[in-house]
Amino acid sequence: MSTRNVVIVGESGVGKSSLINLILGEARVLASNDAVGVTLETTRHPTTIFQHSYYLWDTPGLNEGTQGSLASKRVEEILRNLLMQLEKAHGVHLLVICFRGTKVTRTMQQTYMSITGICSKVSQNIPVAAVITELEKFGDSPEAMEIWWENNQNGLSAYGMDFAGHACITTLTDECHPPTIGRYRKCQVAVHQLIQRCSRSPKSTSSRNLNVVLFGETGVGKSSLINLMAGKEVARVSPDANACTLDSDEYVFEIGLARVRMWDTVGLEEPDTISEDRCFNAIEKAIQLIKSLSAAGGISLLLFCIRANRITVTIQNNYRLFYEVLGRKEVPVALVVTHLEREQQMEDWWPRNEKMLERYGIITAGHACITGVVGHSKYQQSQEAIRALLLQYDEQGKFMMPSEAWIGRLLKGLVSFVGDKAFLRGRDMVRILTKRCHLRPDVAQRVAACLDQ
Protein backbone atom coordinates (compact mmCIF):
# COMPACT_ATOMS: atom_id res chain seq x y z
CA MET A 1 0.00 0.00 0.00
CA SER A 2 1.64 3.22 -1.18
CA THR A 3 0.76 6.88 -0.95
CA ARG A 4 -1.06 8.04 -4.07
CA ASN A 5 -0.50 11.46 -5.63
CA VAL A 6 -3.57 13.42 -6.74
CA VAL A 7 -2.85 16.70 -8.55
CA ILE A 8 -5.59 19.38 -8.55
CA VAL A 9 -5.47 21.78 -11.51
CA GLY A 10 -7.69 24.32 -13.27
CA GLU A 11 -8.24 27.94 -14.10
CA SER A 12 -7.69 30.60 -11.49
CA GLY A 13 -10.70 31.21 -9.26
CA VAL A 14 -12.63 28.01 -10.01
CA GLY A 15 -12.33 26.79 -6.43
CA LYS A 16 -9.34 24.43 -6.36
CA SER A 17 -8.36 25.37 -2.82
CA SER A 18 -11.97 25.13 -1.64
CA LEU A 19 -12.15 21.70 -3.28
CA ILE A 20 -9.06 20.56 -1.39
CA ASN A 21 -10.57 21.82 1.88
CA LEU A 22 -13.72 19.84 1.07
CA ILE A 23 -11.67 16.68 0.49
CA LEU A 24 -9.69 17.24 3.70
CA GLY A 25 -12.79 18.07 5.73
CA GLU A 26 -11.22 21.19 7.21
CA ALA A 27 -10.16 24.68 6.13
CA ARG A 28 -6.46 23.87 5.80
CA VAL A 29 -5.89 25.76 2.52
CA LEU A 30 -6.30 29.49 1.99
CA ALA A 31 -9.14 30.14 -0.45
CA SER A 32 -10.18 33.39 -2.07
CA ASN A 33 -13.15 34.89 -3.90
CA ASP A 34 -10.85 37.26 -5.78
CA ALA A 35 -10.21 36.99 -9.52
CA VAL A 36 -6.49 36.67 -8.80
CA GLY A 37 -5.52 33.28 -7.44
CA VAL A 38 -3.92 32.80 -4.03
CA THR A 39 -1.86 29.67 -4.81
CA LEU A 40 1.52 30.79 -6.16
CA GLU A 41 3.39 27.49 -5.93
CA THR A 42 2.50 23.83 -5.53
CA THR A 43 1.53 22.81 -2.01
CA ARG A 44 1.08 19.28 -0.67
CA HIS A 45 -1.62 18.09 1.73
CA PRO A 46 -1.61 14.52 3.13
CA THR A 47 -4.93 12.83 3.80
CA THR A 48 -6.58 9.43 4.13
CA ILE A 49 -9.55 8.42 1.95
CA PHE A 50 -11.20 5.04 2.49
CA GLN A 51 -8.09 3.85 4.37
CA HIS A 52 -5.73 4.74 1.53
CA SER A 53 -3.07 7.44 1.96
CA TYR A 54 -2.99 10.31 -0.52
CA TYR A 55 -1.04 13.47 -1.21
CA LEU A 56 -3.26 16.23 -2.63
CA TRP A 57 -1.21 18.69 -4.68
CA ASP A 58 -2.66 22.21 -5.05
CA THR A 59 -1.32 24.11 -8.07
CA PRO A 60 -1.45 27.72 -9.31
CA GLY A 61 -4.39 28.64 -11.52
CA LEU A 62 -4.22 29.04 -15.29
CA ASN A 63 -5.49 32.00 -17.33
CA GLU A 64 -5.23 34.72 -14.69
CA GLY A 65 -4.77 37.33 -17.40
CA THR A 66 -2.60 40.43 -17.25
CA GLN A 67 -3.64 41.23 -13.66
CA GLY A 68 -2.64 37.81 -12.34
CA SER A 69 0.25 36.95 -10.03
CA LEU A 70 1.75 34.37 -12.40
CA ALA A 71 1.94 34.23 -16.18
CA SER A 72 0.27 31.21 -17.81
CA LYS A 73 3.60 30.01 -19.21
CA ARG A 74 5.06 30.02 -15.69
CA VAL A 75 2.04 28.10 -14.34
CA GLU A 76 2.40 25.50 -17.10
CA GLU A 77 6.10 25.17 -16.28
CA ILE A 78 5.32 24.64 -12.58
CA LEU A 79 2.75 21.97 -13.43
CA ARG A 80 5.09 20.23 -15.90
CA ASN A 81 7.94 20.15 -13.36
CA LEU A 82 5.64 18.80 -10.63
CA LEU A 83 4.26 16.01 -12.82
CA MET A 84 7.75 15.03 -13.98
CA GLN A 85 9.10 14.93 -10.42
CA LEU A 86 6.17 12.88 -9.13
CA GLU A 87 6.17 10.50 -12.08
CA LYS A 88 9.91 9.94 -11.72
CA ALA A 89 9.57 9.26 -7.99
CA HIS A 90 6.34 7.45 -7.12
CA GLY A 91 3.95 8.30 -9.93
CA VAL A 92 0.94 10.54 -10.55
CA HIS A 93 -2.12 8.47 -9.73
CA LEU A 94 -4.85 10.97 -10.70
CA LEU A 95 -5.13 14.46 -12.16
CA VAL A 96 -8.32 16.36 -11.30
CA ILE A 97 -9.33 19.35 -13.41
CA CYS A 98 -11.66 21.73 -11.59
CA PHE A 99 -14.22 23.69 -13.65
CA ARG A 100 -16.84 26.21 -12.63
CA GLY A 101 -20.38 25.08 -13.47
CA THR A 102 -21.11 27.55 -16.26
CA LYS A 103 -21.69 26.75 -19.91
CA VAL A 104 -18.88 24.97 -21.73
CA THR A 105 -16.54 27.59 -23.26
CA ARG A 106 -13.47 27.66 -25.48
CA THR A 107 -11.48 28.85 -22.46
CA MET A 108 -12.41 25.63 -20.66
CA GLN A 109 -11.32 23.71 -23.76
CA GLN A 110 -7.99 25.58 -23.89
CA THR A 111 -7.40 24.80 -20.21
CA TYR A 112 -8.18 21.13 -20.80
CA MET A 113 -5.92 20.94 -23.86
CA SER A 114 -3.04 22.70 -22.10
CA ILE A 115 -3.22 20.41 -19.07
CA THR A 116 -3.70 17.13 -20.95
CA GLY A 117 -0.96 18.15 -23.39
CA ILE A 118 1.48 18.52 -20.49
CA CYS A 119 0.26 15.19 -19.07
CA SER A 120 0.79 13.30 -22.31
CA LYS A 121 4.42 14.42 -22.50
CA VAL A 122 5.04 13.13 -18.96
CA SER A 123 3.09 9.86 -19.13
CA GLN A 124 0.36 8.27 -21.23
CA ASN A 125 -1.13 6.56 -18.18
CA ILE A 126 -2.27 9.44 -15.94
CA PRO A 127 -6.08 9.32 -15.54
CA VAL A 128 -7.84 12.69 -15.79
CA ALA A 129 -11.09 13.38 -13.91
CA ALA A 130 -13.32 16.45 -13.74
CA VAL A 131 -14.91 18.17 -10.75
CA ILE A 132 -17.59 20.75 -11.55
CA THR A 133 -18.12 23.32 -8.78
CA GLU A 134 -20.66 26.02 -7.84
CA LEU A 135 -23.67 23.84 -8.69
CA GLU A 136 -25.73 24.56 -5.55
CA LYS A 137 -28.47 26.15 -7.68
CA PHE A 138 -29.23 22.74 -9.22
CA GLY A 139 -30.01 21.00 -5.94
CA ASP A 140 -28.85 19.96 -2.50
CA SER A 141 -26.93 16.80 -3.45
CA PRO A 142 -24.46 15.61 -6.11
CA GLU A 143 -27.25 13.47 -7.59
CA ALA A 144 -29.38 16.57 -8.19
CA MET A 145 -26.36 18.55 -9.42
CA GLU A 146 -25.69 15.82 -11.99
CA ILE A 147 -28.16 17.60 -14.26
CA TRP A 148 -25.33 20.00 -15.22
CA TRP A 149 -23.36 17.07 -16.65
CA GLU A 150 -26.39 15.75 -18.52
CA ASN A 151 -26.98 19.18 -20.07
CA ASN A 152 -23.34 19.74 -21.06
CA GLN A 153 -21.96 16.28 -21.85
CA ASN A 154 -22.42 16.72 -25.60
CA GLY A 155 -20.70 20.10 -25.49
CA LEU A 156 -17.72 18.62 -23.66
CA SER A 157 -17.44 15.83 -26.21
CA ALA A 158 -17.68 18.30 -29.09
CA TYR A 159 -14.67 20.14 -27.69
CA GLY A 160 -12.75 16.86 -27.36
CA MET A 161 -12.85 16.88 -23.55
CA ASP A 162 -12.89 13.29 -22.28
CA PHE A 163 -12.60 12.24 -18.63
CA ALA A 164 -12.11 9.04 -16.67
CA GLY A 165 -14.83 10.20 -14.28
CA HIS A 166 -16.51 13.28 -12.86
CA ALA A 167 -18.27 14.73 -9.81
CA CYS A 168 -20.79 17.58 -9.76
CA ILE A 169 -20.66 19.43 -6.44
CA THR A 170 -20.67 22.61 -4.44
CA THR A 171 -18.04 23.52 -1.87
CA LEU A 172 -20.50 25.60 0.17
CA THR A 173 -20.88 24.56 3.79
CA ASP A 174 -24.29 23.64 5.16
CA GLU A 175 -24.72 27.12 6.69
CA CYS A 176 -24.23 28.99 3.40
CA HIS A 177 -27.22 30.18 1.37
CA PRO A 178 -29.40 28.31 0.90
CA PRO A 179 -28.73 26.55 4.23
CA THR A 180 -28.94 22.79 3.67
CA ILE A 181 -28.20 20.10 6.24
CA GLY A 182 -25.85 17.38 4.95
CA ARG A 183 -24.99 19.06 1.64
CA TYR A 184 -21.28 19.51 2.41
CA ARG A 185 -20.80 15.91 3.52
CA LYS A 186 -22.62 14.51 0.46
CA CYS A 187 -20.34 16.49 -1.85
CA GLN A 188 -17.27 15.38 0.10
CA VAL A 189 -18.27 11.72 -0.25
CA ALA A 190 -18.88 12.21 -3.99
CA VAL A 191 -15.36 13.54 -4.51
CA HIS A 192 -13.85 10.85 -2.26
CA GLN A 193 -15.58 8.19 -4.35
CA LEU A 194 -14.35 9.82 -7.55
CA ILE A 195 -10.76 9.78 -6.31
CA GLN A 196 -11.02 6.18 -5.17
CA ARG A 197 -12.68 5.07 -8.41
CA CYS A 198 -10.41 6.88 -10.86
CA SER A 199 -6.97 6.81 -9.21
CA ARG A 200 -4.65 4.31 -10.80
CA SER A 201 -3.37 1.73 -8.37
CA PRO A 202 0.16 1.77 -6.98
CA LYS A 203 2.59 -0.70 -8.49
CA SER A 204 1.65 -3.32 -5.93
CA THR A 205 -0.97 -3.72 -3.23
CA SER A 206 0.58 -6.82 -1.70
CA SER A 207 1.82 -6.81 1.84
CA ARG A 208 5.21 -5.15 2.20
CA ASN A 209 7.84 -5.01 4.90
CA LEU A 210 9.24 -1.56 5.59
CA ASN A 211 12.47 -1.41 7.64
CA VAL A 212 13.03 2.08 9.02
CA VAL A 213 15.89 3.48 11.09
CA LEU A 214 14.61 6.45 13.07
CA PHE A 215 17.40 8.67 14.38
CA GLY A 216 17.85 12.01 16.07
CA GLU A 217 19.08 13.60 19.28
CA THR A 218 17.47 12.89 22.63
CA GLY A 219 14.42 15.00 23.40
CA VAL A 220 13.27 15.64 19.82
CA GLY A 221 10.13 13.53 20.27
CA LYS A 222 10.95 10.20 18.62
CA SER A 223 8.84 8.13 21.03
CA SER A 224 5.82 10.37 20.48
CA LEU A 225 6.45 10.10 16.74
CA ILE A 226 6.41 6.28 16.89
CA ASN A 227 3.12 6.30 18.79
CA LEU A 228 1.73 8.75 16.24
CA MET A 229 2.69 6.46 13.35
CA ALA A 230 1.45 3.29 15.04
CA GLY A 231 -1.85 4.88 16.10
CA LYS A 232 -1.40 3.57 19.63
CA GLU A 233 1.09 3.69 22.49
CA VAL A 234 3.88 1.29 21.63
CA ALA A 235 6.84 3.44 22.77
CA ARG A 236 7.18 4.80 26.27
CA VAL A 237 7.60 8.58 26.15
CA SER A 238 10.50 9.58 28.38
CA PRO A 239 13.36 12.09 28.44
CA ASP A 240 15.85 9.21 27.69
CA ALA A 241 18.69 11.44 28.91
CA ASN A 242 20.76 8.43 29.98
CA ALA A 243 20.51 6.59 26.67
CA CYS A 244 23.74 5.69 24.90
CA THR A 245 24.72 6.87 21.43
CA LEU A 246 23.41 4.35 18.86
CA ASP A 247 21.36 2.61 21.54
CA SER A 248 18.20 1.39 19.79
CA ASP A 249 14.77 -0.11 20.49
CA GLU A 250 12.84 -2.05 17.88
CA TYR A 251 9.10 -1.62 17.28
CA VAL A 252 6.79 -3.46 14.89
CA PHE A 253 3.39 -2.14 13.79
CA GLU A 254 1.21 -2.02 10.67
CA ILE A 255 0.06 0.86 8.49
CA GLY A 256 -2.52 -0.43 6.05
CA LEU A 257 -0.94 -3.42 4.30
CA ALA A 258 2.59 -2.36 5.20
CA ARG A 259 4.36 -4.05 8.12
CA VAL A 260 6.75 -1.52 9.64
CA ARG A 261 9.84 -2.56 11.60
CA MET A 262 11.39 0.50 13.17
CA TRP A 263 14.62 0.92 15.07
CA ASP A 264 14.43 3.99 17.31
CA THR A 265 18.08 5.01 17.54
CA VAL A 266 19.72 7.60 19.75
CA GLY A 267 21.99 9.60 17.48
CA LEU A 268 25.12 11.55 18.30
CA GLU A 269 25.14 13.90 21.24
CA GLU A 270 26.98 17.18 21.67
CA PRO A 271 30.70 16.46 21.08
CA ASP A 272 31.92 17.55 24.51
CA THR A 273 29.69 15.00 26.30
CA ILE A 274 31.29 11.90 24.75
CA SER A 275 33.76 10.14 27.05
CA GLU A 276 35.99 7.20 26.08
CA ASP A 277 33.76 4.79 27.95
CA ARG A 278 30.67 6.10 26.18
CA CYS A 279 32.48 5.83 22.87
CA PHE A 280 33.07 2.13 23.51
CA ASN A 281 29.41 1.79 24.53
CA ALA A 282 28.50 3.41 21.22
CA ILE A 283 30.70 0.94 19.34
CA GLU A 284 28.95 -1.94 21.12
CA LYS A 285 25.51 -0.53 20.28
CA ALA A 286 26.53 0.11 16.67
CA ILE A 287 27.47 -3.54 16.24
CA GLN A 288 24.15 -4.64 17.76
CA LEU A 289 22.27 -2.35 15.36
CA ILE A 290 24.10 -3.68 12.31
CA LYS A 291 23.42 -7.28 13.37
CA SER A 292 19.70 -6.51 13.76
CA LEU A 293 19.50 -4.76 10.39
CA SER A 294 21.36 -7.58 8.67
CA ALA A 295 19.03 -10.17 10.18
CA ALA A 296 16.01 -8.13 9.03
CA GLY A 297 17.27 -7.88 5.45
CA GLY A 298 18.50 -4.28 5.40
CA ILE A 299 17.16 -0.73 5.49
CA SER A 300 14.26 0.68 3.47
CA LEU A 301 14.33 4.23 4.83
CA LEU A 302 16.27 6.51 7.16
CA LEU A 303 13.91 8.78 9.11
CA PHE A 304 15.66 11.83 10.60
CA CYS A 305 13.74 13.51 13.44
CA ILE A 306 14.61 17.11 14.41
CA ARG A 307 12.95 19.86 16.42
CA ALA A 308 11.75 22.99 14.64
CA ASN A 309 14.80 24.87 15.85
CA ARG A 310 18.22 25.99 14.69
CA ILE A 311 20.53 23.63 12.82
CA THR A 312 23.47 22.57 15.01
CA VAL A 313 26.75 20.82 14.26
CA THR A 314 25.35 17.72 15.99
CA ILE A 315 22.35 17.67 13.64
CA GLN A 316 24.69 17.88 10.65
CA ASN A 317 26.90 15.11 12.03
CA ASN A 318 23.90 12.87 12.71
CA TYR A 319 22.77 13.32 9.11
CA ARG A 320 26.23 12.48 7.79
CA LEU A 321 26.73 9.48 10.07
CA PHE A 322 23.46 7.80 9.11
CA TYR A 323 23.09 8.90 5.49
CA GLU A 324 26.71 8.88 4.34
CA VAL A 325 28.20 6.19 6.59
CA LEU A 326 25.41 3.78 7.60
CA GLY A 327 23.45 4.05 4.34
CA ARG A 328 26.41 4.92 2.08
CA LYS A 329 24.21 7.54 0.35
CA GLU A 330 22.12 4.71 -1.11
CA VAL A 331 19.25 4.74 1.40
CA PRO A 332 16.65 7.54 1.07
CA VAL A 333 16.53 9.81 4.11
CA ALA A 334 13.31 11.62 5.01
CA LEU A 335 13.00 14.43 7.54
CA VAL A 336 10.38 14.72 10.28
CA VAL A 337 10.11 18.14 11.92
CA THR A 338 8.45 18.03 15.34
CA HIS A 339 7.01 20.53 17.85
CA LEU A 340 5.11 22.52 15.21
CA GLU A 341 1.84 22.77 17.15
CA ARG A 342 2.18 26.57 17.35
CA GLU A 343 2.32 26.96 13.58
CA GLN A 344 -0.99 28.03 12.06
CA GLN A 345 -0.23 25.68 9.17
CA MET A 346 2.51 23.19 10.07
CA GLU A 347 3.60 22.72 6.45
CA ASP A 348 4.49 26.44 6.30
CA TRP A 349 7.68 25.62 8.21
CA TRP A 350 9.12 23.75 5.24
CA PRO A 351 9.30 26.48 2.53
CA ARG A 352 10.76 28.87 5.13
CA ASN A 353 13.58 26.49 6.05
CA GLU A 354 14.23 24.19 3.08
CA LYS A 355 16.99 26.38 1.60
CA MET A 356 18.68 26.70 4.98
CA LEU A 357 18.76 22.92 5.38
CA GLU A 358 20.32 22.59 1.93
CA ARG A 359 22.99 25.14 2.84
CA TYR A 360 23.92 22.92 5.79
CA GLY A 361 24.17 19.93 3.46
CA ILE A 362 20.93 18.26 4.61
CA ILE A 363 19.18 17.02 1.47
CA THR A 364 16.13 14.80 1.96
CA ALA A 365 13.92 12.63 -0.22
CA GLY A 366 10.75 13.69 1.61
CA HIS A 367 9.48 15.39 4.74
CA ALA A 368 6.63 15.64 7.23
CA CYS A 369 5.87 18.60 9.50
CA ILE A 370 4.05 17.41 12.60
CA THR A 371 3.13 17.65 16.24
CA GLY A 372 3.24 14.66 18.54
CA VAL A 373 1.06 16.21 21.23
CA VAL A 374 -1.79 13.77 21.87
CA GLY A 375 -5.20 15.45 21.75
CA HIS A 376 -3.97 18.47 19.81
CA SER A 377 -6.23 19.62 16.96
CA LYS A 378 -3.39 18.97 14.49
CA TYR A 379 -2.67 15.43 15.76
CA GLN A 380 -4.79 13.66 13.12
CA GLN A 381 -3.32 15.80 10.38
CA SER A 382 0.17 14.92 11.67
CA GLN A 383 -0.64 11.21 11.59
CA GLU A 384 -1.83 11.44 8.00
CA ALA A 385 1.33 13.34 7.03
CA ILE A 386 3.81 10.88 8.54
CA ARG A 387 1.95 7.78 7.33
CA ALA A 388 1.72 9.17 3.80
CA LEU A 389 5.47 9.86 3.93
CA LEU A 390 6.34 6.34 5.12
CA LEU A 391 4.15 4.57 2.58
CA GLN A 392 6.03 6.14 -0.31
CA TYR A 393 8.89 3.76 0.46
CA ASP A 394 7.14 0.42 1.03
CA GLU A 395 7.85 -0.73 -2.53
CA GLN A 396 11.55 0.03 -2.61
CA GLY A 397 14.35 -2.45 -2.15
CA LYS A 398 16.39 -2.66 1.02
CA PHE A 399 20.03 -1.68 1.39
CA MET A 400 22.50 -3.87 3.17
CA MET A 401 26.17 -4.83 3.06
CA PRO A 402 28.12 -7.89 4.25
CA SER A 403 27.97 -7.50 8.03
CA GLU A 404 31.73 -7.33 8.60
CA ALA A 405 32.22 -4.55 6.06
CA TRP A 406 29.13 -2.77 7.37
CA ILE A 407 30.34 -2.92 10.97
CA GLY A 408 33.82 -1.75 10.03
CA ARG A 409 32.48 1.13 7.96
CA LEU A 410 30.09 2.30 10.67
CA LEU A 411 32.66 2.08 13.47
CA LYS A 412 35.25 3.97 11.48
CA GLY A 413 32.75 6.72 10.75
CA LEU A 414 31.44 6.73 14.30
CA VAL A 415 34.88 7.18 15.85
CA SER A 416 35.62 10.07 13.51
CA PHE A 417 32.50 11.86 14.77
CA VAL A 418 32.56 11.17 18.51
CA GLY A 419 36.20 11.63 19.38
CA ASP A 420 39.86 11.64 18.49
CA LYS A 421 40.91 8.29 17.03
CA ALA A 422 44.23 8.66 18.87
CA PHE A 423 42.80 7.18 22.06
CA LEU A 424 42.25 3.90 20.20
CA ARG A 425 45.93 3.51 19.43
CA GLY A 426 47.69 0.99 21.61
CA ARG A 427 44.42 -0.54 22.76
CA ASP A 428 43.68 -4.16 22.06
CA MET A 429 40.70 -3.53 19.80
CA VAL A 430 40.43 -7.22 18.93
CA ARG A 431 40.00 -8.04 22.61
CA ILE A 432 37.44 -5.26 23.05
CA LEU A 433 35.47 -6.38 20.00
CA THR A 434 35.46 -10.03 21.08
CA LYS A 435 34.93 -9.69 24.84
CA ARG A 436 32.74 -6.61 24.98
CA CYS A 437 31.02 -6.74 21.60
CA HIS A 438 30.88 -10.52 21.24
CA LEU A 439 32.39 -10.76 17.77
CA ARG A 440 34.24 -13.88 16.70
CA PRO A 441 38.05 -13.41 16.88
CA ASP A 442 38.50 -13.61 13.10
CA VAL A 443 35.70 -11.10 12.52
CA ALA A 444 37.07 -8.82 15.26
CA GLN A 445 40.49 -8.79 13.58
CA ARG A 446 39.04 -7.72 10.25
CA VAL A 447 36.86 -5.02 11.86
CA ALA A 448 39.80 -3.71 13.89
CA ALA A 449 41.85 -3.50 10.71
CA CYS A 450 39.22 -1.16 9.26
CA LEU A 451 39.74 1.27 12.16
CA ASP A 452 43.49 1.47 11.39
CA GLN A 453 43.00 2.31 7.71
Side-chain angles (χ1 to χ4, degrees):
M1 175 181 172
S2 292
T3 301
R4 307 178 188 196
N5 291 305
V6 177
V7 180
I8 313 293
V9 295
E11 295 178 47
S12 178
V14 297
K16 297 188 307 300
S17 297
S18 296
L19 172 61
I20 290 176
N21 286 334
L22 175 74
I23 298 170
L24 297 173
E26 60 177 313
R28 199 183 300 176
V29 186
L30 180 64
S32 171
N33 292 322
D34 297 337
V36 177
V38 297
T39 304
L40 303 183
E41 288 289 346
T42 57
T43 54
R44 185 193 69 177
H45 306 280
T47 190
T48 301
I49 299 173
F50 300 128
Q51 299 185 341
H52 288 284
S53 292
Y54 291 85
Y55 279 138
L56 305 178
W57 295 87
D58 192 8
T59 60
L62 289 159
N63 303 323
E64 285 192 353
T66 57
Q67 302 302 314
S69 304
L70 291 173
S72 288
K73 290 295 184 184
R74 173 58 181 154
V75 174
E76 292 176 8
E77 180 186 355
I78 291 172
L79 177 59
R80 185 182 301 108
N81 290 340
L82 173 64
L83 295 179
M84 290 176 63
Q85 291 170 7
L86 293 179
E87 192 65 19
K88 185 183 298 184
H90 306 288
V92 180
H93 300 90
L94 179 64
L95 189 138
V96 175
I97 305 180
C98 187
F99 294 107
R100 185 184 290 110
T102 60
K103 68 176 182 177
V104 180
T105 64
R106 287 203 174 274
T107 301
M108 291 171 63
Q109 181 196 32
Q110 291 169 0
T111 299
Y112 173 87
M113 293 301 179
S114 296
I115 292 170
T116 55
I118 294 170
C119 269
S120 64
K121 293 179 180 178
V122 174
S123 172
Q124 297 294 326
N125 300 317
I126 301 175
V128 178
V131 172
I132 315 301
T133 64
E134 300 185 14
L135 295 179
E136 55 275 2
K137 63 183 178 182
F138 288 98
D140 59 0
S141 70
E143 291 76 18
M145 298 173 195
E146 183 70 13
I147 191 174
W148 183 94
W149 190 266
E150 295 172 2
N151 293 340
N152 291 276
Q153 189 171 9
N154 290 337
L156 293 169
S157 298
Y159 278 125
M161 300 167 65
D162 297 320
F163 300 96
H166 70 274
C168 295
I169 62 152
T170 178
T171 58
L172 293 181
T173 61
D174 293 354
E175 295 76 23
C176 293
H177 181 78
T180 308
I181 301 298
R183 175 177 58 193
Y184 194 78
R185 175 58 179 163
K186 290 176 183 176
C187 290
Q188 181 189 55
V189 170
V191 178
H192 283 186
Q193 291 173 340
L194 174 71
I195 291 173
Q196 182 191 43
R197 185 171 65 251
C198 295
S199 296
R200 63 175 176 171
S201 299
K203 296 177 182 178
S204 172
T205 56
S206 59
S207 180
R208 295 281 181 168
N209 292 322
L210 184 63
N211 293 349
V212 181
V213 175
L214 172 64
F215 67 100
E217 297 176 85
T218 58
V220 296
K222 298 193 300 298
S223 297
S224 297
L225 173 61
I226 292 170
N227 293 334
L228 177 72
M229 288 184 279
K232 57 185 177 181
E233 186 173 352
V234 297
R236 185 171 60 88
V237 179
S238 66
D240 67 355
N242 296 320
C244 169
T245 296
L246 289 181
D247 197 4
S248 61
D249 294 307
E250 182 181 348
Y251 301 95
V252 180
F253 51 89
E254 294 182 350
I255 301 177
L257 296 177
R259 181 174 182 267
V260 181
R261 293 184 68 178
M262 181 164 291
W263 288 263
D264 176 14
T265 308
V266 178
L268 300 174
E269 302 173 72
E270 293 297 330
D272 58 358
T273 65
I274 303 295
S275 64
E276 290 186 15
D277 184 62
R278 298 199 75 178
C279 183
F280 285 122
N281 282 336
I283 290 174
E284 182 180 0
K285 299 300 182 182
I287 292 173
Q288 293 175 4
L289 177 62
I290 292 294
K291 287 182 176 179
S292 296
L293 293 173
S294 295
I299 314 172
S300 309
L301 176 68
L302 295 167
L303 198 59
F304 188 13
C305 187
I306 67 170
R307 289 181 66 105
N309 208 335
R310 65 186 181 89
I311 304 301
T312 64
V313 172
T314 304
I315 288 175
Q316 296 174 72
N317 285 344
N318 267 311
Y319 175 85
R320 291 178 55 205
L321 175 64
F322 284 85
Y323 178 57
E324 298 178 9
V325 179
L326 181 65
R328 210 169 64 176
K329 297 184 179 181
E330 296 181 32
V331 183
V333 56
L335 191 69
V336 180
V337 186
T338 62
H339 295 83
L340 288 174
E341 51 273 4
R342 294 186 179 180
E343 288 274 351
Q344 185 173 1
Q345 298 295 335
M346 294 184 294
E347 186 67 20
D348 289 346
W349 186 93
W350 185 255
R352 294 201 312 266
N353 294 277
E354 182 180 10
K355 296 299 182 184
M356 177 191 65
L357 290 166
E358 291 178 357
R359 286 198 299 271
Y360 282 104
I362 300 175
I363 310 297
T364 62
H367 72 275
C369 296
I370 62 119
T371 177
V373 178
V374 178
H376 195 278
S377 59
K378 295 183 174 69
Y379 193 81
Q380 180 65 33
Q381 178 185 345
S382 297
Q383 186 178 71
E384 292 175 351
I386 187 59
R387 286 181 169 182
L389 176 65
L390 279 183
L391 292 178
Q392 290 187 81
Y393 301 96
D394 68 339
E395 294 176 351
Q396 298 196 162
K398 298 179 177 65
F399 169 84
M400 67 180 301
M401 295 173 61
S403 58
E404 293 176 20
W406 209 354
I407 290 171
R409 178 180 176 84
L410 180 58
L411 297 194
K412 187 177 180 180
L414 175 63
V415 171
S416 69
F417 282 114
V418 302
D420 185 356
K421 287 194 293 185
F423 79 83
L424 293 177
R425 293 171 188 162
R427 295 182 183 268
D428 188 351
M429 285 302 300
V430 174
R431 182 183 62 81
I432 292 171
L433 292 173
T434 53
K435 298 295 184 182
R436 184 164 181 170
C437 302
H438 310 292
L439 294 182
R440 294 200 324 262
D442 58 324
V443 176
Q445 288 178 352
R446 288 191 287 271
V447 172
C450 293
L451 295 173
D452 294 330
Q453 294 175 358

